[in-house]
Amino acid sequence: MLQSINSSSIPDIARQSRLAARQLAPASDAQRNLALAKMAEALQAVRARVLTVNADEVAKPATPAKPRPWSSA
């Protein structure tokens, strides 16, 4: 199932990726190749949207970083 581009945090995506890797590890070469081909198709299907969102993010003015409580700034 594809999630919307903004619905997952980086740690969530990393956890999902590790889970997928564990599930694919025991698969045959043919099964892994099929899974990778399906993932590539899914990425191609959302390619334009990803590029649009990325361009929108890059075009936003930079916001200053908030000082961290432990920093001397």
Side-chain angles (χ1 to χ4, degrees):
M1 176 175 93
L2 289 178
Q3 295 182 351
S4 70
I5 293 170
N6 294 323
S7 70
S8 296
S9 68
I10 297 300
D12 289 339
I13 293 168
R15 277 189 289 280
Q16 292 168 0
S17 297
R18 285 190 299 274
L19 174 61
R22 284 192 298 271
Q23 291 172 338
L24 280 175
S28 69
D29 286 346
Q31 290 170 320
R32 269 194 303 277
N33 288 340
L34 178 61
L36 290 170
K38 295 286 185 183
M39 288 181 231
E41 288 174 16
L43 286 170
Q44 286 297 325
V46 296
R47 180 179 185 271
R49 178 74 178 129
V50 169
L51 292 174
T52 299
V53 169
N54 185 58
D56 292 346
E57 291 293 319
V58 170
K60 286 182 184 177
T63 56
K66 294 180 184 175
R68 296 191 173 131
W70 61 84
S71 71
S72 59

